Amino acid sequence: MKIALIAHDRKKDDLIQFVTAYQPILNHHTLYATGTTGQRVIDGTGLPVIRFQSGPLGGDQQIGAMIAQNEMDMVIFFRDPLTAQPHEPDVTALIRLCDVYGIPLATNMGTAEVLLKGLQEGFIDWRLLGERRG
């Protein structure tokens, strides 16, 4: 699966802790991330990450474009709900695209854990589930 990793500044440490804990699962998938977050994941875990621009410089939109092209399977986005973000419209657009295209989206550690545990157990193959329903 192609998994996007994004974190607001105050949540980057939490994301690194999360990726470190779930490295045995994540190392079987292709990871993408916005600029600084991606570099922090690389430095903190050694996992390969395809990096985009920083979120405020268009990284969120680059991930959104992959979603719209059916090229992203899951998004883990540790948001900081208590701090105003200058690129909030981009964040909102990314979340909207996840909803439009049915992309699993975790915006906090608890939900991200559920998604990765489901992925590990083979419960998340949402693209096939959608084909079966359609």
Side-chain angles (χ1 to χ4, degrees), residues 18-28 44-47:
F18 176 81
V19 171
T20 300
Y22 287 93
Q23 189 167 346
I25 297 170
L26 291 169
N27 68 13
H28 296 288
T45 67
L47 288 170

Side-chain angles (χ1 to χ4, degrees), residues 38-112:
Q39 192 60 56
R40 295 272 315 268
V41 170
I42 292 167
D43 294 344
T45 67
L47 288 170
V49 177
I50 298 166
R51 292 175 57 224
F52 293 117
Q53 297 291 334
S54 170
L57 298 178
D60 297 333
Q61 293 178 346
Q62 289 175 294
I63 290 171
M66 286 189 73
I67 291 168
Q69 295 296 317
N70 201 30
E71 295 175 357
M72 187 63 66
D73 300 307
M74 182 183 292
V75 176
I76 297 173
F77 187 171
F78 284 12
R79 298 177 63 221
D80 180 359
L82 301 177
T83 303
Q85 302 298 323
H87 63 294
E88 191 62 36
D90 298 335
V91 171
T92 301
L94 179 64
I95 291 169
R96 179 183 168 278
L97 284 170
C98 288
D99 289 342
V100 167
Y101 290 96
I103 300 298
L105 167 68
T107 59
N108 59 65
M109 192 175 296
T111 307

